[in-house]
Amino acid sequence: MRLMEWVERFHVALGSLSGIATIVMIALVVPDVILRKFFATTIPGASETNILLLVLMIYLGLAGAQARGAHFRVTILTDRLPDGARRALEVVMLSAAVAGLSLLAVLTTQSAMTSISRGETSFGVIAFPLWPGRVAVAVGLWLLCLQLVLDVIRALVGAPRRTSREEGVSG
């Protein structure tokens, strides 16, 4: 369980670091807007950089949100089930999520590899590389898959599920 705890803490930390992307976005958007409004110019590449930061913020935060139990859940039916049935259903649902997201992760990994090999760039004032965003999506999905596998293990051994109300990550 120590490895599981370490991985979950890493996911939470990575999710917290994705918050830094928000600060950088603000630090880039504010001067860009001021320059556009008062001087009719922009910061070259600011829009493309903000898109990349948004992708990083979202996808690198997925596994951390799952580790904290912060994803949206509707439990009106599952809360009424006996513990054994609820755990079994949780294992089935989490396993289905792992299967579906693994497929997405494979496809986005292939897309990222293609983007890297082609040197894919955006069409704009500057040729901004697209592969970092594609890699971030793939990495974020793989980390979410890993976290979901840990959650399947947690459900199988009967460890309590986390909720967003809990502080930190319990092991």
Side-chain angles (χ1 to χ4, degrees):
M1 286 291 208
R2 297 296 293 165
L3 179 61
M4 285 177 58
E5 183 179 330
W6 183 87
V7 171
E8 288 178 340
R9 289 187 187 281
F10 172 74
H11 289 161
V12 170
L14 190 59
S16 298
L17 284 177
S18 73
I20 292 173
T22 305
I23 296 168
V24 175
M25 285 174 70
I26 293 168
L28 192 56
V29 166
V30 170
D32 192 47
V33 168
I34 291 170
L35 285 171
R36 189 177 320 122
K37 177 72 175 168
F38 296 110
F39 302 103
T41 188
T42 62
I43 299 172
S47 177
E48 292 87 349
T49 302
N50 279 326
I51 291 169
L52 174 61
L53 289 169
L54 184 61
V55 168
L56 290 173
M57 185 175 63
I58 292 168
Y59 284 92
L60 296 184
L62 286 174
Q66 180 66 27
R68 287 189 315 269
H71 284 297
F72 182 75
R73 293 175 67 127
V74 178
T75 60
I76 192 166
L77 297 176
T78 57
D79 285 347
R80 299 178 196 282
L81 294 174
D83 285 341
R86 182 179 21 224
R87 255 191 23 225
L89 185 58
E90 181 134 1
V91 168
V92 169
M93 290 187 303
L94 288 169
S95 297
V98 169
L101 284 169
S102 294
L103 177 61
L104 285 176
V106 166
L107 295 173
T108 57
T109 299
Q110 291 171 347
S111 175
M113 290 170 37
T114 300
S115 182
I116 291 169
S117 68
R118 291 183 180 167
E120 190 177 21
T121 60
S122 66
F123 298 105
V125 176
I126 61 169
F128 198 83
L130 296 177
W131 65 265
R134 296 189 192 282
V135 169
V137 170
V139 168
L141 289 175
W142 282 117
L143 291 175
L144 179 57
C145 286
L146 174 59
Q147 183 59 51
L148 289 168
V149 168
L150 296 179
D151 289 346
V152 168
I153 294 168
R154 184 180 299 282
L156 285 171
V157 300
R161 70 176 180 191
R162 292 162 317 282
T163 65
S164 59
R165 293 182 203 104
E166 294 176 10
E167 299 262 339
V169 176
S170 58

